[in-house]
Amino acid sequence: MISDRAVQGMDEILHRAVRSRLVLHPGDRCEVARTRLRDAGELSDQDFVVLTITSLGFRMLTMIHIDDDQPTRAYYGRGTSGHAFMDIFLEVANLFCGAINQELVACFPDLGMSTPYYLDGKCALHIAALRPAYLASYAIAINDDVRMTASVCLCAQAPLDFTVPEAAAAQATGELELF
Amino acid sequence: MANILVVDDSGAVREEVAGFLRKNGLAVETAVDGKDGLSKLKSHPGIRLIVCDVNMPNMDGLTMVEKIRGELRNTSVNVVMLTTESSPSMKERGKAAGVKGWIVKPFKGEAVLESFKRLAV
């Protein structure tokens, strides 16, 4: 139901979004590697951030499991912890998924994106109920000590095939477009 | 008296945008969603520019703009959307509602400061 080139395109978009939005400083080291899909049982003890991108033909959930440890809080949270750190990381996740959305919108003009929210880890037990047509996980390491897992769960209502135009990757951000 | 209203459900974004604008001498009020934004606009008549997210709980940013132009009959306040959304259909809805400009996040203060100053007069 999802073509090979669509899968490849999704993989490339995710890699670019990691490097442009999850990495905060230009000199930081970043490794992104496909990883095995963890069992739902393994995921259920850790809360995670979810965002949804929806079009008429598909729905894509992006789930981010992050280690709530000192290096991660120092990297993203500017020394904050608890609720303040969670709020900051929600916006980081929002920008990350927003970057994916900005590339996909070149192929699917009807896209909409949710606000980011935390889900209880036990919700991961029900991912299979969504009957995903494609599921992939990526292990992300920044400067060796900031670690997270980003998973993509794609549910398609129709055959999905697309190629992301190269120009979409270079879309300008932060500039005011006056109407 | 505040002349810019920053509306975003993310405390981190409110802090970043409002903090930057205040550091540059602008008077800023903040709101946590569209509903709160409408209320703050009513209680702060000096507001000339609203910088607003699209996706928010309770009331989204575009609905807020439609209410400002419709229910409040306020056609003078400038509204700039600051959002991760970049779809043409979303921008068209914004234009139709009376949005003045669109910024795709992340926020880059220096790139928009002069424009904000002009729109906030």
Side-chain angles (χ1 to χ4, degrees):
Chain A
M1 217 166 181
I2 298 177
S3 72
D4 288 345
R5 68 177 177 179
V7 168
Q8 189 188 336
M10 198 65 84
D11 186 75
E12 289 168 6
I13 288 171
L14 187 130
H15 274 77
R16 283 195 289 268
V18 168
R19 293 177 198 285
S20 66
R21 297 291 183 265
L22 296 182
V23 177
L24 299 185
H25 315 110
D28 291 345
R29 288 186 311 282
C30 175
E31 287 175 23
V32 186
R34 282 289 292 268
T35 186
R36 73 179 177 88
L37 289 164
R38 289 193 283 172
D39 294 335
E42 270 183 89
L43 294 170
S44 67
D45 60 352
Q46 194 182 0
D47 294 354
F48 57 100
V49 180
V50 181
L51 288 109
T52 307
I53 293 173
T54 310
S55 85
L56 292 172
F58 70 89
R59 181 172 46 155
M60 185 181 117
L61 274 73
T62 305
M63 299 165 282
I64 307 172
H65 286 80
I66 191 162
D67 289 346
D68 184 9
D69 56 14
Q70 198 280 329
T72 306
R73 287 195 296 270
Y75 191 71
Y76 289 115
R78 306 161 209 159
T80 60
S81 59
H83 184 76
F85 170 72
M86 287 163 69
D87 187 56
I88 289 172
F89 191 74
L90 278 179
E91 185 55 24
V92 172
N94 189 40
L95 292 175
F96 169 62
C97 199
I100 296 172
N101 188 50
Q102 286 150 25
E103 290 213 42
L104 286 175
V105 85
C107 308
F108 306 97
D110 62 329
L111 283 189
M113 194 176 105
S114 75
T115 52
Y117 47 97
Y118 276 99
L119 281 185
D120 188 294
K122 290 185 178 57
C123 294
L125 295 169
H126 304 286
I127 289 172
L130 299 173
R131 297 184 194 159
Y134 177 65
L135 199 51
S137 277
Y138 300 81
I140 300 162
I142 300 168
N143 293 340
D144 300 325
D145 56 2
V146 178
R147 293 179 183 279
M148 69 196 88
T149 305
S151 303
V152 174
C153 171
L154 198 55
C155 306
Q157 286 92 45
L160 185 59
D161 181 31
F162 66 90
T163 307
V164 177
E166 279 184 29
Q171 194 175 50
T173 57
E175 287 165 19
L176 175 61
E177 176 186 357
L178 283 171
F179 297 151
Chain B
M1 189 179 6
N3 55 355
I4 299 181
L5 175 63
V6 175
V7 188
D8 201 301
D9 57 319
S10 163
V13 173
R14 290 197 304 275
E15 194 178 305
E16 180 188 7
V17 178
F20 173 82
L21 296 175
R22 283 177 186 134
K23 242 187 260 174
N24 284 279
L26 295 162
V28 184
E29 183 59 58
T30 60
V32 299
D33 57 31
K35 216 171 165 180
D36 190 27
L38 282 179
S39 166
K40 292 277 170 63
L41 179 62
K42 285 181 198 167
S43 59
H44 293 78
I47 288 169
R48 302 293 307 126
L49 169 65
I50 300 175
V51 181
C52 183
D53 191 12
V54 170
N55 296 317
M56 294 183 287
N58 301 317
M59 185 189 292
D60 69 82
L62 291 177
T63 300
M64 186 194 79
V65 180
E66 286 162 357
K67 285 183 182 293
I68 289 171
R69 304 301 189 213
E71 289 177 18
L72 303 189
R73 296 173 189 268
N74 183 334
T75 54
S76 61
V77 68
N78 291 311
V79 183
V80 170
M81 307 310 290
L82 173 64
T83 173
T84 52
E85 295 281 4
S86 61
S87 76
S89 59
M90 202 74 84
K91 289 183 183 178
E92 282 307 316
R93 188 181 156 202
K95 273 187 210 176
V99 165
K100 184 83 176 177
W102 199 278
I103 302 169
V104 177
K105 286 179 181 177
F107 178 68
K108 296 172 184 168
E110 295 296 346
V112 296
L113 180 60
E114 290 309 313
S115 300
F116 278 17
K117 282 180 178 173
R118 280 198 297 275
L119 292 170
V121 175

